[in-house]
């Protein structure tokens, strides 16, 4: 079992108090982490504030080289990162190896190169003036990340923020701090200066998070998590008028038209619901299938869901592992039970797996429901568990209406071989990310974020650098040879 300390101002700090991090697949303790308090929070923010002027003064090229070194450092410990993420999240090793670690590496490499594109502009104004804008970093960024994709979701905040000259204090989720602390080791070894990046851990979701988001020296807040906590983050940041970006929950629709490529749509529907055991904000839990294709798609989806290989996350043959924590298990049980009480029909799963070897984890069978009404709680609320709902529709207009019948707007999928139909529907869906004939592809070059209760601000891509981690300064220079005097 590893012991980890806080990372503050380039040093590893032990507070004398620790808490255990446990593997959700078997309940075993896998690490002890230091508990940060207000003193450590203040020290981390002060360190980031001191480091900011020198870091911001460096060229984009200098910062980019250091971020490339970070990417190389993750590559050098590739399997170690994948194993740690599997053990702390309970997700399949095949997922962390194939997705999480390469995605994090790609983010650091992308922002290392794209940061110089953070350009200002010249603006024609009346008179003999030079008017131009500069993009400048905010200063200290406070970042809070969730437990489902801990390394990648940290990377998409750290890499762009640092690339344009900000410094950062990161608070990872209490149950998944290990990869964040390993990343701090990599950044230290890569030569990221002291104070530029700091990591604080504690066992409670809110204590350090509240202190961080209310701290007057934190000039920008970036949060990924639930909508309810996002509201709290905004309220905290408002106490000192710090701008906030939020990537929150989702209830994504997955629209399958009758002319879709059946096999591809089926494969992606399964992936969109059961990757990470459905613990994704982009999970496409509302699957709408055009009536002529509905029964065939339903039967195939149920059959394939029932064949998913459930097992130990570390087993390379496992396709579906444990939920992350007891709260997620109980929440999933509650929504399935409520759906059945309200009249939904259970087609597969719907129960906790308690027989050995599943009895020590939080295993819940891949679940499929039908006869779900749009007003049911299971159709309205984000579950964050492996519960898919199959519902038929008639034509484009109803598909769009059903897709938009949610308070969320993070993502959506559209499946059809008619490109005109695909674009008409995509343009009408109220979501920040729409995939056509694919799903859950989130390249670092493209913006990612939501509408409505799914938050605001766009992570990744050039939009991220321009909108989230830099602010605009306007400079106007008088070029006229004439002297102007306002008062006679």
């Amino acid at each position: 079992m590893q012991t980890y300390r806080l990372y503050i101002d380039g040093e590893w700090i032990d507070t004398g108090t620790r808490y255990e991090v446990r593997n959700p697949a078997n309940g075993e303790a896998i690490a002890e982490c230091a508990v940060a308090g207000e003193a450590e929070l203040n020290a981390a923010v002060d360190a980031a504030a001191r480091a900011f002027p020198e870091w911001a003064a460096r060229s984009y090229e200098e910062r980019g080289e250091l971020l490339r070194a970070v990417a190389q450092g993750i590559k050098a410990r590739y399997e170690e990162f994948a194993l740690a993420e599997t053990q702390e999240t309970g997700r399949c090793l095949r997922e962390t190896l194939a997705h999480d670690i390469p995605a994090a590496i790609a983010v650091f490499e992308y922002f290392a190169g794209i940061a110089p594109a953070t350009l200002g502009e010249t603006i024609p104004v009346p008179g003999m003036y030079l008017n131009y804008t500069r993009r400048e970093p905010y200063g200290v960024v406070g970042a809070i990340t969730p437990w489902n994709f801990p390394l990648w979701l940290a990377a998409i905040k750290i890499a762009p923020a640092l690339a344009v000259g900000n410094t950062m204090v990161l608070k990872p989720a209490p149950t998944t701090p290990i990869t964040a602390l390993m990343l701090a080791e990599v950044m230290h070894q890569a030569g990221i200066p002291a104070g530029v990046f700091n990591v604080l851990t504690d066992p409670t979701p809110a204590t350090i998070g509240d202190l961080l988001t209310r701290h007057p020296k934190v000039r920008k807040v970036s949060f990924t998590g639930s909508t309810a906590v996002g509201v709290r983050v905004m309220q905290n940041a408002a106490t000192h008028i710090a701008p906030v970006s939020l990537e929150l929950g989702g209830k994504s629709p997955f629209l399958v038209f009758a002319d879709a490529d059946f096999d591809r749509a089926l494969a992606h529907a399964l992936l969109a619901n059961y990757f990470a055991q459905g613990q994704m904000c982009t999970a496409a839990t509302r699957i709408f299938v055009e009536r002529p294709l509905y029964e065939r798609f339903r039967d195939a989806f149920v059959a394939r869901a029932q064949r998913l290989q459930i097992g130990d996350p570390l087993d390379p043959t496992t396709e579906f592992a444990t939920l992350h924590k007891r709260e997620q298990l109980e929440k999933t049980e509650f929504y399935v039970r409520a759906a059945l009480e309200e009249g939904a029909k259970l087609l597969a799963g719907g129960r906790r797996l308690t027989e050995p070897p599943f009895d020590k984890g939080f295993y819940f069978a891949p679940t499929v429901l039908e006869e779900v009404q749009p007003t049911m709680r299971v159709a309205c609320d984000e579950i964050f568990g492996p519960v898919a709902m199959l519902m038929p529709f008639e034509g484009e207009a109803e598909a769009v209406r059903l897709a938009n019948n949610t308070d969320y707007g993070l993502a959506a999928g559209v499946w059809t071989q008619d490109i005109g139909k695909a674009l008409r529907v995509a343009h009408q869906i109220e979501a920040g990310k729409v995939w056509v004939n694919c799903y859950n592809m989130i390249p670092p070059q493209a913006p990612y974020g939501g509408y409505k209760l799914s938050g605001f601000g766009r992570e990744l891509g050039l939009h991220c650098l321009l909108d989230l981690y830099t602010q605009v300064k306007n400079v106007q220079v008088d070029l006229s040879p004439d002297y102007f005097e306002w008062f006679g």
Side-chain angles (χ1 to χ4, degrees):
M1 184 169 65
Q2 294 283 343
T3 298
Y4 291 95
R5 294 168 290 176
L6 311 177
Y7 185 65
I8 301 173
D9 202 14
E11 302 288 339
W12 294 98
I13 307 298
D14 195 348
T15 62
T17 306
R18 298 174 184 162
Y19 74 99
E20 288 185 336
V21 177
R22 294 185 174 272
N23 184 336
N26 54 30
E28 295 179 358
I30 55 175
E32 285 189 339
C33 293
V35 177
E38 186 170 4
E40 290 75 30
L41 180 279
N42 289 335
V45 173
D46 287 345
R50 286 194 304 270
F52 170 66
E54 188 276 333
W55 180 248
R58 293 197 180 200
S59 68
Y60 286 120
E61 289 73 20
E62 288 180 281
R63 294 193 295 262
E65 283 304 308
L66 288 170
L67 293 179
R68 288 188 187 92
V70 172
Q72 291 300 316
I74 300 172
K75 284 182 183 178
R77 300 173 63 179
Y78 192 107
E79 293 185 356
E80 185 184 350
F81 269 102
L83 178 62
E85 185 140 316
T86 291
Q87 290 180 318
E88 67 180 350
T89 63
R91 290 181 41 231
C92 299
L93 182 61
R94 64 190 291 169
E95 292 179 2
T96 58
L97 281 169
H99 172 269
D100 296 33
I101 311 309
I105 292 168
V107 166
F108 277 101
E109 290 178 337
Y110 171 73
F111 283 108
I114 195 65
T118 312
L119 303 175
E121 57 192 343
T122 57
I123 303 171
V125 296
M128 295 186 66
Y129 298 99
L130 169 64
N131 188 291
Y132 64 95
T133 63
R134 287 171 47 84
R135 289 279 178 175
E136 298 183 349
Y138 281 98
V140 180
V141 175
I144 301 176
T145 52
W147 46 259
N148 53 340
F149 295 87
L151 181 63
W152 177 71
L153 287 170
I156 67 175
K157 298 183 187 303
I158 298 165
L162 269 57
V164 292
N166 298 284
T167 56
M168 178 173 284
V169 177
L170 173 69
K171 185 215 175 287
T175 53
T176 57
I178 299 173
T179 47
L181 292 163
M182 290 172 61
L183 181 58
E185 294 172 352
V186 168
M187 296 182 79
H188 185 88
Q189 292 164 2
I192 300 293
V196 169
F197 179 66
N198 308 269
V199 183
L200 302 175
T201 57
D202 81 304
T204 64
T207 305
I208 293 300
D210 281 339
L211 291 171
L212 179 62
T213 52
R214 285 200 298 258
H215 199 290
K217 291 184 181 178
V218 172
R219 301 295 175 84
K220 160 74 187 183
V221 175
S222 180
F223 172 78
T224 298
S226 72
T227 299
V229 177
V231 171
R232 182 170 176 166
V233 167
M234 289 181 68
Q235 292 169 336
N236 288 342
T239 60
H240 59 291
I241 319 297
V244 175
S245 55
L246 303 173
E247 195 269 280
L248 307 175
K251 197 70 177 174
S252 301
F254 191 98
L255 306 178
V256 183
F257 287 90
D259 64 346
D261 183 318
F262 183 88
D263 292 333
R264 290 183 64 188
L266 176 65
H268 279 263
L270 288 157
L271 187 70
N273 278 274
Y274 302 129
F275 189 84
Q277 291 72 251
Q279 298 168 123
M280 307 177 291
C281 46
T282 56
T285 55
R286 298 183 301 139
I287 305 174
F288 301 104
V289 184
E290 198 163 18
R291 181 71 69 178
L293 193 64
Y294 179 76
E295 291 186 3
R296 179 189 173 198
F297 191 93
R298 176 199 63 196
D299 295 346
F301 186 90
V302 170
R304 185 64 187 89
Q306 291 174 325
R307 292 201 306 270
L308 287 172
Q309 183 66 42
I310 306 172
D312 182 348
L314 294 176
D315 186 334
T317 66
T318 295
E319 298 175 308
F320 185 93
T322 180
L323 295 182
H324 179 62
K325 53 186 176 179
R326 183 174 302 280
E327 293 91 331
Q328 292 308 122
L329 175 65
E330 293 174 349
K331 185 179 180 182
T332 303
E333 289 178 317
F334 168 81
Y335 276 102
V336 171
R337 184 169 59 249
L340 299 180
E341 290 172 354
E342 294 174 11
K345 180 179 178 181
L346 181 66
L347 300 181
R351 67 182 183 90
R352 180 182 181 180
L353 303 179
T354 56
E355 61 275 15
F358 306 120
D359 53 320
K360 294 182 180 179
F362 307 116
Y363 289 87
F364 194 89
T367 298
V368 187
L369 300 171
E370 73 168 348
E371 297 181 15
V372 174
Q373 301 303 312
T375 55
M376 291 181 179
R377 283 173 290 183
V378 73
C380 297
D381 298 346
E382 184 180 42
I383 301 172
F384 232 60
V387 181
M389 291 156 277
L390 290 165
M391 293 166 275
F393 70 86
E394 304 276 2
E396 288 182 44
E398 186 178 22
V400 171
R401 180 178 61 79
L402 290 169
N404 289 338
N405 186 34
T406 174
D407 291 331
Y408 295 99
L410 183 58
V414 179
W415 290 83
T416 175
Q417 298 186 68
D418 181 338
I419 189 61
K421 181 194 299 181
L423 296 181
R424 285 194 303 272
V425 172
H427 293 180
Q428 295 176 75
I429 290 177
E430 297 167 349
K433 190 88 173 183
V434 180
W435 289 287
V436 176
N437 296 333
C438 59
Y439 203 81
N440 254 356
M441 311 302 293
I442 308 178
Q445 297 85 356
Y448 171 65
Y451 287 13
K452 301 188 285 189
L453 292 188
S454 292
F456 53 83
R458 293 296 179 267
E459 298 192 283
L460 299 174
L462 186 58
H463 293 77
C464 175
L465 298 181
L466 298 178
D467 299 338
L468 298 193
Y469 295 114
T470 58
Q471 53 194 335
V472 179
K473 175 181 286 181
N474 182 246
V475 178
Q476 183 155 330
V477 183
D478 189 345
L479 303 177
S480 171
D482 299 326
Y483 174 70
F484 175 77
E485 186 174 9
W486 182 266
F487 296 103

